[in-house]
Amino acid sequence: MSHRTGPAMAVLAAFALAGAACATSPRSVSPAAANPSDSPSRVAAQPPTAIVDPLPSWRLDWARGAVFYQVFVRSFADSDGDGIGDLRGLISRLDYLNDGDPATRNDLGVDALWLMPVFVSPSYHGYDTVDYEHINPPYGTDADFATLLREAHRRGMRVIVDLVLNHSSAQHPWFVEASSSPTAARRNWYVWRADDPGWTQPWGGSYRVWHTSGDQFFYGVFWSGMPDLNWRNPDLRAELYRIAERWLTLGVDGFRLDATRHLVENGPDQQQVDQPETHAALRELARAVRQRHPEALLVGENWTETPLIAAYFGSDREVPGGDELPASFNFPLAAAIVGAARDGDGDAVRSVLAEMAAAYPRRALDAPFLANHDMARLTTQLGGDVAAQRRAAALLLTLPGAPFLYYGEEIGLENGSARGDEAKRTPMPWSGQAPGYGFTAATAPWHPFSGDPQARNVATELSDEGSLLAHYRRWIAARRASPALRDGDLFLLDSGRETGVVAFLRRTDGERALVVHNLARSGATFAAPMSCDRLAVRLSDGDVRLADLPKHGCLLDLPPQSAWLGTVRSD
């Protein structure tokens, strides 16, 4: 969609104010018709049933506008000198994230934490779970986790944890039992068939997804070490809901749900993703959570396009935010923001925001971000361009929803030199002191540091008001101080011929916030729909100058790669 025509101040879209959900009610599919195998064990298991009884709405005001910080515990802080980050190390660094005192200025000011997998696992990354009910010993104990929750909550931070429900580890006792015999009690907790139909991973390539065990095959969309759980099985689902309830009762504030597009498969290629039974299963999970914990956040990982992401909010428009997942990560918007920061053109950002306005249900809770543990780090994607990183951060932190920051993003941490995902998850440098750089007392951490930790570390940037870290702190503080920025609707504004400008109004009762980003490497102007004397400048990143226009307009003269935030009380 072009945004270069029409009146300069035409309102193009209103996100979260209106917009039709593009999801439809998942149709009921009989197990026999949906079953890719004639295995009796698979046919016998039933899909989730429709939800008909009324339930309380999600109560997620705490998450609207909240800034989340994604932590890979292994790489954040090591308390015992073994080179591996742990929960006690994270606890020791909580004051850096949020010290609980709004009067101080040295903390980052985030509102919540997302912990990547912390449950028992044989791998460094933890996405192949062996025990869903206990903390991985290298990270500490269950008591350490309870202490983390208590200390985070004391500072006003919520905590959500990665819950991997699409698959388990092949070493999980469930799978060990299931693979021991076709008549094993938990055989139906996984997906079996007598032959390999030759399916490959739905995102492309030639990797086959059916794996040999004895004289049969089990389904594992990622690899043979992570067999997929059989979500058609009601006993399996009940056990997963019990596990979720256990952690919520202990004080966890919600879950990041891994690989939610892949829960149920009906055939090869795209029949392995986004199936009606997957939506039904997630509605049932959401119902189980919402019955007792309506304030618990569920964030889905649906790495796909905007209309398909929108479907994961659910199909019941009477439930604010939807009856399925109350939040989903916004992968198209992440790609658009990073591209805009790199190239200086905001067209892709405007297009995604317009798509969201059309597709997302009312009061959907978006989860925008810039990069995560599966992507090249933001610094690496942008070639080390600090100005571009600043633009991406400012844009992210002025958008609706609950933005997520990946640990180290705020100091410009880059990818390591090694290949593989480990290079995206390197240790956090807290100081410039070798060899442990404040991360560990060990001679060497579990993985080498990336970049130059002597030059790029938390201590160095904390002492520099012009640093990237200081930039993040300022925009987070501005977000927290503005009700419109935290929870207002978004009205996308036409930038005319200025393709590098992304401008919008955020509006809630009592306040309007005007946000203008110039992503270009050249100066730009923007005509605001209100008089200059009504605008209270909250934050100006660059020497932005204002001049009155006839009929109560205000002209903003924007230097290259700048951003501006002003607010006005609503009439």
Side-chain angles (χ1 to χ4, degrees):
M1 178 184 295
S2 172
H3 299 277
R4 304 183 190 180
T5 58
M9 295 313 303
V11 174
L12 299 180
F15 169 64
L17 180 68
C22 66
T24 57
S25 262
R27 51 190 175 81
S28 177
V29 179
S30 71
N35 191 358
S37 167
D38 55 4
S39 163
S41 66
R42 180 65 183 273
V43 173
Q46 298 296 313
T49 56
I51 305 305
V52 294
D53 55 314
L55 288 169
S57 296
W58 295 106
R59 296 203 296 266
L60 293 172
D61 287 347
W62 69 267
R64 296 190 180 279
V67 178
F68 282 72
Y69 191 88
Q70 177 186 352
V71 178
F72 184 38
V73 172
R74 177 175 290 263
S75 284
F76 201 65
D78 170 25
S79 70
D80 58 9
D82 65 356
I84 297 174
D86 48 49
L87 293 175
R88 288 186 177 272
L90 172 57
I91 293 166
S92 73
R93 298 294 186 178
L94 287 179
D95 280 349
Y96 162 76
L97 299 171
N98 189 330
D99 63 8
D101 183 353
T104 60
R105 292 292 179 266
N106 282 336
D107 59 327
L108 189 57
V110 300
D111 302 290
L113 307 180
W114 158 26
L115 305 188
M116 289 170 62
V118 292
F119 304 140
V120 180
S121 169
S123 68
Y124 87 92
H125 54 74
Y127 282 99
D128 47 347
T129 309
V130 166
D131 181 347
Y132 288 95
E133 300 195 55
H134 296 287
I135 297 299
N136 208 9
Y139 293 165
T141 65
D142 294 356
D144 292 334
F145 185 75
T147 300
L148 170 66
L149 290 178
R150 184 171 61 252
E151 289 299 312
H153 290 160
R154 185 172 66 81
R155 292 165 171 81
M157 285 187 288
R158 304 274 186 147
V159 180
I160 68 172
V161 298
D162 233 310
L163 189 60
V164 185
L165 301 182
N166 176 71
H167 52 266
S168 74
S169 169
Q171 299 178 37
H172 196 294
W174 297 345
F175 188 74
V176 172
E177 177 188 335
S179 59
S180 66
S181 167
T183 60
R186 291 190 174 90
R187 182 73 166 188
N188 280 359
W189 287 30
Y190 296 87
V191 183
W192 300 89
R193 63 182 294 150
D195 63 334
D196 178 0
W199 305 358
T200 56
Q201 290 173 323
W203 51 86
S206 59
Y207 186 82
R208 297 167 81 98
V209 297
W210 289 92
H211 313 282
T212 305
S213 176
D215 60 356
Q216 288 205 331
F217 295 83
F218 66 89
Y219 181 79
V221 70
F222 292 104
W223 72 296
S224 60
M226 297 195 304
D228 275 44
L229 294 163
N230 181 11
W231 273 80
R232 298 180 191 272
N233 188 304
D235 294 333
L236 177 277
R237 296 198 309 273
E239 177 65 2
L240 296 178
Y241 303 162
R242 183 194 67 78
I243 289 167
E245 170 65 21
R246 176 185 187 276
W247 289 107
L248 292 169
T249 300
L250 288 173
V252 167
D253 297 292
F255 304 109
R256 181 265 189 183
L257 300 175
D258 184 66
T260 37
R261 299 180 68 204
H262 301 278
L263 296 188
V264 181
E265 59 289 329
N266 282 320
D269 302 322
Q270 293 309 296
Q271 294 180 72
Q272 296 173 80
V273 294
D274 306 323
Q275 295 301 289
E277 297 93 335
T278 291
H279 286 283
L282 289 170
R283 286 201 310 276
E284 186 180 84
L285 169 63
R287 176 179 183 268
V289 169
R290 194 164 70 244
Q291 279 181 320
R292 294 189 60 186
H293 305 277
E295 292 189 359
L297 180 65
L298 302 178
V299 189
E301 183 203 22
N302 300 302
W303 198 330
T304 184
E305 300 305 313
T306 301
L308 291 175
I309 294 173
Y312 281 91
F313 290 108
S315 56
D316 188 345
R317 293 177 57 80
E318 299 304 314
V319 179
D323 63 341
E324 200 168 316
L325 297 179
S328 277
F329 288 108
N330 198 327
F331 288 87
L333 188 56
I337 294 173
V338 174
R342 181 185 59 241
D343 303 330
D345 189 325
D347 273 353
V349 173
R350 289 188 289 270
S351 293
V352 174
L353 290 174
E355 287 180 350
M356 292 163 59
Y360 279 25
R362 181 179 180 273
R363 297 295 286 170
L365 179 57
D366 194 39
F369 67 102
L370 300 175
N372 66 23
H373 59 289
D374 288 324
M375 302 171 169
R377 279 193 169 272
L378 178 66
T379 302
T380 301
Q381 291 188 58
L382 295 177
D385 185 339
V386 177
Q389 293 175 66
R390 293 167 71 96
R391 295 288 60 74
L395 186 48
L396 173 73
L397 292 167
T398 51
L399 290 171
F404 281 69
L405 313 179
Y406 186 34
Y407 83 95
E409 204 163 73
E410 74 278 14
I411 62 169
L413 201 61
E414 60 191 290
N415 270 32
S417 57
R419 299 184 65 181
D421 286 338
E422 293 91 332
K424 308 164 188 172
R425 308 167 187 178
T426 58
M428 182 81 160
W430 293 94
S431 74
Q433 300 299 311
Y437 298 105
F439 167 75
T440 182
T443 303
W446 76 272
H447 192 277
F449 291 91
S450 60
D452 180 3
Q454 286 187 319
R456 180 174 288 151
N457 59 72
V458 172
T460 297
E461 297 210 15
L462 276 174
S463 63
D464 179 4
E465 280 302 309
S467 68
L468 184 62
L469 174 57
H471 174 83
Y472 270 88
R473 289 204 317 266
R474 284 192 291 271
W475 281 102
I476 291 172
R479 183 181 185 88
R480 175 170 286 186
S482 168
L485 212 55
R486 283 183 66 89
D487 193 27
D489 298 335
L490 183 146
F491 295 83
L492 186 61
L493 303 176
D494 190 354
S495 58
R497 297 179 180 274
E498 301 285 8
T499 61
V501 171
V502 175
F504 44 83
L505 284 172
R506 302 287 312 280
R507 189 178 71 185
T508 191
D509 291 344
E511 185 184 69
R512 285 180 291 165
L514 173 65
V515 182
V516 186
H517 299 274
N518 180 22
L519 303 160
R521 289 173 174 79
S522 57
T525 58
F526 180 79
M530 55 198 73
S531 61
C532 297
D533 60 3
R534 295 193 66 196
L535 285 163
V537 180
R538 287 292 186 98
L539 186 56
S540 180
D541 187 23
D543 187 16
V544 178
R545 301 189 179 189
L546 281 63
D548 286 314
L549 287 173
K551 298 183 180 179
H552 308 291
C554 185
L555 184 69
L556 278 72
D557 187 7
L558 303 152
Q561 296 183 301
S562 58
W564 189 89
L565 166 66
T567 59
V568 60
R569 291 186 60 83
S570 296
D571 296 330

